[in-house]
Amino acid sequence: MSKVKNWQLGREVEYPYDESRPKRQWAIIFDLNKCIACQTCTLACKTTWTSGKGQEYMFWNNVETKPWGGYPLAWDLRILEKLGRQDWGKNGEYLGKTLIEAAPPTERVLHYAPTDEDWMYPNVGEDDCAGAPVDSGGHVQKLPHDEWMFYLPRTCAHCTYPACLAACPRKAIYKREEDGIVLIDQSRCKGYGECVRACPYKKSMYNPYTRTSEKCVGCYPAVEEGIQPQCVVNCIGKIRVMGFINPPWKAREDNPIDYLVHKKKIALPYYPQLGLEPNIYYIPPIHADPEYLHQMFGPRVDDAIQAYKQLVDDPVAAGLLCLMGSSDRILHRFAVEKGVAIGYDADGAEIVRVPVTEAIYERSAFDAGRGAARHNTP
Amino acid sequence: MSHWKIALMIAANLALGALPAGCSDKPAKPAPLKELLVKRVSADLSKADPGAAYWAQASGGDVSLLAQPMVSPRPEKATTSTLSVQAVHDGQRIAFRLRWKDPERSEAGRLGEFSDALALEFPLQDGPLPPVMMGAKGMPVHLFHWRAQYQRDHEKGKPTIAQLYPNVSIDMYPMEFKDAKGGTEAQAEAFSPGRAEGNPQSYSKTGVDEIVAEGFSTSSVLEGHGSLAHGDWKDGEWSLVIVRPLAIDGGSKLAVGGKGNVAFAVWQGGEGEVGSRKSLTMAWTPVIVQ
């Protein structure tokens, strides 16, 4: 067992293989304050990747309602309960055990095995509220809301220390050096399902037709061409951005992902205490129950919410949020100059340019030139 | 239980074990297998038949299995502790009959369902014996891996989605439409990654896979050499026959009048066993082909 650096936990963690960070690490940031669970991402992924036999209930990207929803059923509760106490220290360091550290001697990863039926209700709990009784009113009176729910879109996190990779006895899972995307070798997998058991986020799935396990491929053919994944470019709410994240000691302020995660610290990994250094990051919902958010995002969530609320006064951060969803190309660098946000590709060429504040045009209700009234309905 | 009672039971067991077979209704329990004598039979071994008459005269014995202890994930206890082994040959082929207790027949199919299985392992080369667990780099082993799932493929065809999920309702798959002409088979296969990649696991099996390995995590399926298998499950026991050619070009070789070695592994699918979760023999058993 090796000791590897996990910056999300502020300490070294155990892992079966040595630390070997890729040259670039694929990452997505989701703004949970904007997601409306339209499932366009889910369908974009489904039609691209999982429309074949044995993939009928397979959603590499899904959107579930928190706290009641879960695909597969209660995946989060079941692994958190199994892991036991997850305490954090005063300086943000994790004091509990990770899934690898808590594994019994006979296993590589502490896990639970979802049943077939667990995957068959991808929309369970959708739109269900938690907190006070719904008829008590007042949920819009203050932040956070008494009655709350939020939508959680999820893909594979292409973890720095993937549990699926650690658990595969055939070494059929690998992490790409060029972009950190984690793939199951479809020519070597024998469908033992160890990755399906081991991944706590339950993003390895079994295909009973090919008798292999399959998972989100990070849209690597697109990424290789400098294009963001299907779930990102099809997001109608523009809540997502895909790019490459650096560890904090190599963070670059002009990298969109580094800026939101490391500089502004408003985007957080989910369930970091599981110890895998997942690489999907969430801007937490400002209205949801703080205790629940603590469990999901760790002790930095309060600061992240505060920082998010202040973005309105930060033209650079506001400009970056405007760039989200403004291009299908991967933004390697961004800049905000004179009220305009500009995105650049890997070679430094400009990809996209958007105003931070859209211009407002006021027109009279009557167009005298055409002799017609103007109105907003077609 | 007191010590003297245990002593008495041991004495009684020893006495029973010493009785000649003819003195009891039950057949004598075979002695632990030290080496496997393989007699020649003049029967047709081109079929795997666990109920064939020649098995009554075939020599053999029991081997003990332990929970695979070397690599995780591994079972906490041996789900199969004893395997009864016999073997015969016809000059060209060698047939092994293997019997073990398994309370349920498991053929796999859906997620979380695993198959009952057994593997025979042979050193692939002459010379020093490879490590019994999957061999080592430069010391390959040759495996014959039977699964109830593979047998089902061979005898009834690889199950369709509708067979696995009888209530499934599907409008269409890519390139396969109900009411219109679809694409070519190759175009449809592109949507099934395992098949598109030519993974043997994604195709119908012949009952037994031939595998070569040089250590843990290295096993790869080989082109088959005409080995075959058939198992019957009845009353909580599998009776399985695996037949392989005595000598395989580029593979493991046994010869009439020669010696070889074999090792065994058993998976109980109903207990969730697959891959490294298995019971196995911890030493090679010598094989003497008479």
Side-chain angles (χ1 to χ4, degrees):
Chain A
M1 198 66 76
S2 298
K3 289 276 187 190
V4 296
K5 191 179 289 181
N6 183 322
W7 62 262
Q8 297 175 353
L9 301 185
R11 70 169 172 87
E12 288 189 323
V13 296
E14 288 182 8
Y15 194 66
Y17 302 105
D18 290 344
E19 183 169 347
S20 173
R21 289 179 184 271
K23 287 178 188 157
R24 279 178 180 154
Q25 176 58 58
W26 181 107
I28 295 183
I29 292 175
F30 306 72
D31 186 348
L32 296 185
N33 296 288
K34 296 179 183 169
C35 179
I36 56 167
C38 67
Q39 307 282 3
T40 309
C41 49
T42 308
L43 266 291
C45 176
K46 184 99 190 121
T47 51
T48 305
W49 293 112
T50 60
S51 54
K53 288 180 188 166
Q55 300 174 322
E56 293 80 3
Y57 276 95
M58 197 181 279
F59 295 97
W60 291 352
N61 178 104
N62 78 297
V63 185
E64 57 201 45
T65 300
K66 286 299 165 195
W68 301 118
Y71 166 79
L73 281 178
W75 62 271
D76 41 2
L77 301 183
R78 290 163 79 177
I79 194 62
L80 292 172
E81 189 169 37
K82 205 153 186 183
L83 184 57
R85 286 191 67 98
Q86 298 136 43
D87 294 320
W88 294 83
K90 284 180 184 165
N91 298 319
E93 75 280 19
Y94 179 55
L95 304 176
K97 285 187 171 177
T98 68
L99 294 183
I100 305 263
E101 291 163 353
T106 52
E107 300 290 337
R108 295 189 184 180
V109 181
L110 186 73
H111 66 256
Y112 86 91
T115 65
D116 216 12
E117 291 75 15
D118 288 334
W119 300 90
M120 293 181 181
Y121 308 92
N123 278 2
V124 75
E126 185 154 74
D127 292 354
D128 281 353
C129 262
V134 172
D135 58 4
S136 67
H139 62 283
V140 294
Q141 302 295 315
K142 61 184 174 64
L143 285 174
H145 296 171
D146 291 330
E147 296 93 37
W148 60 277
M149 42 73 83
F150 64 92
Y151 300 118
L152 186 73
R154 308 198 299 124
T155 67
C156 169
H158 298 280
C159 301
T160 306
Y161 306 114
C164 59
L165 188 154
C168 179
R170 289 183 58 73
K171 294 185 180 168
I173 303 183
Y174 60 103
K175 187 170 175 66
R176 307 209 313 174
E177 195 186 3
E178 61 268 41
D179 50 24
I181 289 174
V182 178
L183 296 177
I184 301 173
D185 182 343
Q186 289 299 316
S187 64
R188 259 197 76 65
C189 175
K190 264 187 116 167
Y192 295 164
E194 295 295 349
C195 56
V196 181
R197 300 189 212 215
C199 172
Y201 303 105
K202 294 294 172 255
K203 283 297 175 187
S204 277
M205 299 161 195
Y206 182 68
N207 180 329
Y209 179 69
T210 60
R211 304 200 283 216
T212 59
S213 297
E214 299 174 353
K215 65 178 284 300
C216 159
V217 296
C219 284
Y220 71 85
V223 170
E224 287 173 2
E225 300 293 324
I227 295 170
Q228 302 185 58
Q230 289 286 67
C231 61
V232 178
V233 300
N234 284 284
C235 176
I236 60 164
K238 303 188 174 186
I239 79 147
R240 305 179 177 215
V241 62
M242 177 263 159
F244 297 104
I245 188 168
N246 290 301
W249 56 91
K250 285 187 183 169
R252 257 186 29 230
E253 242 180 72
D254 60 358
N255 172 331
I257 307 293
D258 286 355
Y259 183 82
L260 293 175
V261 174
H262 296 312
K263 163 82 175 162
K264 300 302 287 187
K265 300 185 192 301
I266 63 166
L268 301 168
Y270 77 145
Y271 298 123
Q273 65 267 41
L274 304 177
L276 312 179
E277 217 186 278
N279 288 301
I280 54 178
Y281 297 85
Y282 294 101
I283 299 176
I286 61 174
H287 68 282
D289 180 71
E291 278 190 44
Y292 187 83
L293 296 180
H294 270 254
Q295 176 178 261
M296 180 174 275
F297 298 112
R300 288 158 51 203
V301 71
D302 297 329
D303 291 344
I305 287 173
Q306 282 311 312
Y308 182 70
K309 286 179 176 174
Q310 288 158 12
L311 286 192
V312 66
D313 301 320
D314 182 339
V316 177
L320 176 52
L321 293 198
C322 290
L323 282 174
M324 287 173 76
S326 293
S327 171
D328 60 355
R329 307 284 304 281
I330 297 173
L331 307 179
H332 289 257
R333 190 166 70 78
F334 82 104
V336 178
E337 297 161 3
K338 297 177 186 166
V340 176
I342 310 157
Y344 302 93
D345 69 10
D347 300 324
E350 183 178 317
I351 297 172
V352 63
R353 171 179 285 261
V354 292
V356 180
T357 306
E358 297 244 7
I360 295 174
Y361 299 95
E362 286 186 33
R363 298 186 294 179
S364 62
F366 189 78
D367 184 342
R370 292 182 175 80
R374 293 191 174 110
H375 52 74
N376 291 328
T377 50
Chain B
M1 191 181 287
S2 61
H3 291 299
W4 68 266
K5 272 189 181 169
I6 294 171
L8 206 65
M9 285 177 69
I10 293 171
N13 280 339
L14 285 173
L16 281 173
L19 285 174
C23 297
S24 167
D25 288 344
K26 289 183 179 175
K29 189 176 162 60
L33 189 64
K34 292 272 169 30
E35 56 184 21
L36 183 60
L37 292 177
V38 187
K39 293 177 185 162
R40 187 174 191 133
V41 290
S42 56
D44 176 16
L45 293 186
S46 66
K47 279 190 180 148
D49 182 3
Y54 48 76
W55 291 114
Q57 272 74 48
S59 53
D62 285 358
V63 291
S64 294
L65 290 87
L66 295 179
Q68 186 275 114
M70 289 293 283
V71 291
S72 59
R74 57 192 167 84
E76 290 182 355
K77 60 180 173 56
T79 53
T80 309
S81 52
T82 306
L83 177 70
S84 296
V85 183
Q86 292 172 285
V88 294
H89 76 92
D90 66 359
Q92 298 295 317
R93 302 180 187 90
I94 180 167
F96 294 80
R97 184 167 78 158
L98 308 134
R99 288 172 296 165
W100 71 97
K101 299 265 186 251
D102 187 333
E104 57 189 340
R105 181 190 180 109
S106 311
E107 284 182 344
R110 298 183 179 199
L111 164 74
E113 293 178 351
F114 300 98
S115 178
D116 295 331
L118 181 140
L120 301 176
E121 181 189 47
F122 302 89
L124 198 139
Q125 299 166 343
D126 294 337
L129 281 176
V132 71
M133 276 177 264
M134 305 303 284
K137 185 83 184 159
M139 302 176 87
V141 291
H142 190 184
L143 299 133
F144 295 79
H145 186 204
W146 167 89
R147 276 191 191 181
Q149 180 188 29
Y150 300 167
Q151 178 173 319
R152 192 215 130 103
D153 275 10
H154 186 55
E155 293 171 357
K156 299 179 190 166
K158 182 172 172 284
T160 62
I161 291 295
Q163 284 169 328
L164 293 174
Y165 297 91
N167 296 322
V168 71
S169 171
I170 296 292
D171 297 327
M172 56 155 275
Y173 290 109
M175 305 297 162
E176 286 188 52
F177 314 117
K178 272 182 184 165
D179 305 319
K181 194 175 180 304
T184 64
E185 195 178 335
Q187 285 172 327
E189 295 282 87
F191 291 84
S192 291
R195 290 172 73 91
E197 284 294 311
N199 187 335
Q201 200 67 8
S202 302
Y203 287 86
S204 190
K205 298 281 190 175
T206 60
V208 59
D209 263 358
E210 282 191 41
I211 290 171
V212 67
E214 289 185 279
F216 297 115
S217 313
T218 65
S219 70
S220 298
V221 176
L222 293 175
E223 190 80 25
H225 295 92
S227 51
L228 48 114
H230 177 80
D232 291 322
W233 183 89
K234 199 182 167 198
D235 300 332
E237 186 175 86
W238 274 107
S239 184
L240 165 71
V241 169
I242 299 179
V243 184
R244 57 157 288 181
L246 275 168
I248 292 176
D249 266 351
S252 54
K253 291 182 181 63
L254 296 165
V256 177
K259 279 188 176 181
N261 286 277
V262 66
F264 308 91
V266 176
W267 291 260
Q268 299 229 355
E271 295 289 329
E273 290 191 335
V274 69
S276 55
R277 302 175 193 270
K278 60 190 168 190
S279 303
L280 44 66
T281 50
M282 297 290 288
W284 293 102
T285 298
V287 180
I288 296 164
V289 185
Q290 293 183 323

